[in-house]
Amino acid sequence: SCVTIGYVIRNYKAKVIILGAKGCGNTFILIAEALTFQEGIRAAKFLDIKNIIIEGDNLCVINNLRHLASSMDYRFHYKRY
């Protein structure tokens, strides 16, 4: 089946700043989750957003990204939905 990813960027008052979605073809769920974070981070950089808190419900992906981003100004949070 074809996978579509999407993200929401909000400000500190929870107001939506930008939404994004993209088709990714056929892929594994972990890859789709990681691509979602990648697209959201790209959009945040494009908007010149400096302080980024990234939330997701896949603990495996969050932990791996947390390790990769330890030298960056991103905070990754696991959120159980």
Side-chain angles (χ1 to χ4, degrees):
S1 66
C2 190
V3 175
T4 301
I5 61 172
Y7 61 87
V8 178
I9 297 179
R10 301 176 185 271
N11 67 9
Y12 69 98
K13 292 181 178 180
K15 180 181 176 189
V16 174
I17 297 173
I18 191 170
L19 304 168
K22 175 180 175 180
C24 293
N26 295 327
T27 191
F28 296 103
I29 189 65
L30 292 177
I31 293 172
E33 296 258 356
L35 288 172
T36 303
F37 289 122
Q38 181 182 38
E39 290 299 314
I41 290 169
R42 280 185 183 161
K45 283 185 169 184
F46 178 78
L47 295 171
D48 201 32
I49 298 172
K50 302 291 185 207
N51 187 11
I52 302 172
I53 298 172
I54 301 167
E55 294 181 346
D57 62 353
N58 190 311
L59 188 58
C60 179
V61 174
I62 292 290
N63 284 338
N64 280 293
L65 292 173
R66 201 178 272 155
H67 174 72
L68 290 172
S70 60
S71 63
M72 299 178 210
D73 192 24
Y74 305 140
R75 290 179 285 169
F76 290 87
H77 295 281
Y78 171 69
K79 189 168 190 175
R80 193 174 195 141
Y81 296 101

